């Protein structure tokens, strides 16, 4: 039998050693595409038994040419860069790692909230430019008693909630797929989307990017928010309509925003770049040295499980596994 081959479509990691170490246990060889273009990816993936992918787009056309692939394992939580329907059609299981960075992203959302509330980046820039005065940062409001609205109440916002409560924030959330018991257990009030927009001083976005959430934060949503409210997005860029956000900020419909994710990354030409009331971080919410090791190990373990006939822990299209055993 030829050794198992695991293709890697793209890697932002300084090293793939943690993944390589896991896969060496089943004698699998790791082969990284020299560049993340469809052609280069297919050159290493066409005959591979598995494909690991971070940000590269894995389209239906590409999936059709994967001759032996049994699993596409994403180094990450969202799988919106993989055509899951096409993978299902090709009987390839797609997996994600839902829990490697939930501490980091929830910390980042809170860090953005605190930075907005206390105007830290703005004040820092003022001081470095020679303005040591309070007038520049006026107004700042007390956090205790403010309302944080969480759009989506999955793994990450469930960690945001207790951290925000430690600062005295009242936490409400909108998630039509979460049970009332879960909200009660978390001590978070369930609200509908219009209520969330109307009552929140901070809105933090934590939904997945799916057709129903694309542009969910657009002109209509911003019109319903408080003019003193701030928007935080650590989820996915296209959930926020950036042009509408820029217009809403210009019109004073909300006070500011902090985004770790953008519709286009890097955000070349975005109308949000260069504003004093907008904080931007380069999609780094997920990152810590520790989370990266967890991510590689967990994604590679999914590959190892599938290639040795075990069930993966986090399949996005589990129906493929049922088809296989049927
Ligand atoms: N910036 C980063 O580095 C980074 C890192 C990890 C995750 N993320 C993103 O963060 C987001 C949240 O991750 P998570 O782990 O909490 O996800 P999760 O899968 O645990 O939860 C998602 C929640 O969103 C809810 N939801 C789905 N559609 C909704 C809608 N229309 N309205 C309201 N709620 C809806 C679901 O019911 C679910 O409870 C995802 O978009 C993920 O891709 C970003």
């Amino acid at each position: 039998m030829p050794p198992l081959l695991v293709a890697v479509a793209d890697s932002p990691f300084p090293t793939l050693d943690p993944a390589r170490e896991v896969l060496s246990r089943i004698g699998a060889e790791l082969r990284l595409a020299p560049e993340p273009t469809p052609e280069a990816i297919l050159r290493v993936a066409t005959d591979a038994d598995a494909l690991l992918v971070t940000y590269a787009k894995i389209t239906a056309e590409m999936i059709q040419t994967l001759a032996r692939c049994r699993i596409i394992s994403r180094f990450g939580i969202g799988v919106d860069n993989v055509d899951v329907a096409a993978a299902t059609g090709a009987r390839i299981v797609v997996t994600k790692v839902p829990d490697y960075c939930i501490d980091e992203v929830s910390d980042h959302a809170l860090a953005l909230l605190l930075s907005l509330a206390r105007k830290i980046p703005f004040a820092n820039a003022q001081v470095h430019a020679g303005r040591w005065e309070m007038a520049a940062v006026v107004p700042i409001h007390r956090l205790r008693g403010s309302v944080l609205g969480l759009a989506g109440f999955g793994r990450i916002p469930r960690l945001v909630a207790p951290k925000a409560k430690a600062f005295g924030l009242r936490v409400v959330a909108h998630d039509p797929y979460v049970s009332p018991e879960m909200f009660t257990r978390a001590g978070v009030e369930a609200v509908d989307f219009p209520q969330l927009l109307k009552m929140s001083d901070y809105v933090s976005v934590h939904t997945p990017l799916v057709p129903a959430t694309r542009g969910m934060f657009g002109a209509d949503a911003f019109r319903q928010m408080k003019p003193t409210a701030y928007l935080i997005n650590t989820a996915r860029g296209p959930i926020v309509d950036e042009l509408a956000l820029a217009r809403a900020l210009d019109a004073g419909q909300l006070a500011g925003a902090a985004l770790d994710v953008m519709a286009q990354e890097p955000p070349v030409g975005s109308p949000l770049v260069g504003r004093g009331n907008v904080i931007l971080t380069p999609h780094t919410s997920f990152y810590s040295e520790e989370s990266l090791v967890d991510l590689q190990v967990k994604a590679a373990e999914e590959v190892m499980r599938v290639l040795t006939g075990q069930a993966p822990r986090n399949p996005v299209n589990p129906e493929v596994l049922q088809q296989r055993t049927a």
Side-chain angles (χ1 to χ4, degrees), residues 251-272:
Q253 284 174 334
L254 66 164
L259 312 172
D260 181 56
V261 285
M262 306 284 289
Q264 191 191 317
E265 297 176 0
V268 183
S270 166
L272 296 169

Side-chain angles (χ1 to χ4, degrees), residues 55 74 76-80 96 98-102 105 108 150-158 174-178 193 205-210 212-213 216 233-236 239 260-261 283-287:
Y55 300 121
R74 165 115 215 278
I77 294 184
V79 289
D80 40 277
K96 60 180 179 178
D99 54 358
Y100 75 100
C101 63
I102 56 179
V105 183
H108 203 92
L150 303 168
F153 198 55
R155 290 182 181 83
I156 291 168
R158 281 176 213 173
H174 166 64
D175 191 324
Y177 309 105
V178 164
F193 190 49
V205 185
H206 300 283
T207 65
L209 174 62
V210 290
T213 61
M216 182 176 177
N233 187 10
T234 55
R236 282 291 179 267
I239 300 169
D260 181 56
V261 285
H283 201 148
T284 44
S285 293
F286 69 91
Y287 166 68

Side-chain angles (χ1 to χ4, degrees), residues 156-236:
I156 291 168
R158 281 176 213 173
L159 287 189
V160 172
K163 294 175 191 181
K165 284 187 183 186
F167 285 90
L169 285 143
R170 175 180 160 204
V171 184
V172 305
H174 166 64
D175 191 324
Y177 309 105
V178 164
S179 68
E181 294 75 44
M182 171 56 78
F183 284 110
T184 309
R185 236 187 352 254
V188 167
E189 291 165 61
V191 294
D192 63 24
F193 190 49
Q195 279 173 314
L196 178 108
L197 296 171
K198 199 171 154 205
M199 69 195 292
S200 298
D201 299 294
Y202 300 88
V203 173
S204 190
V205 185
H206 300 283
T207 65
L209 174 62
V210 290
T213 61
R214 187 175 285 272
M216 182 176 177
F217 287 86
D220 190 42
F222 300 137
R223 257 194 305 275
Q224 298 174 63
M225 287 174 69
K226 292 183 182 180
T228 49
Y230 292 99
L231 179 74
I232 299 152
N233 187 10
T234 55
R236 282 291 179 267

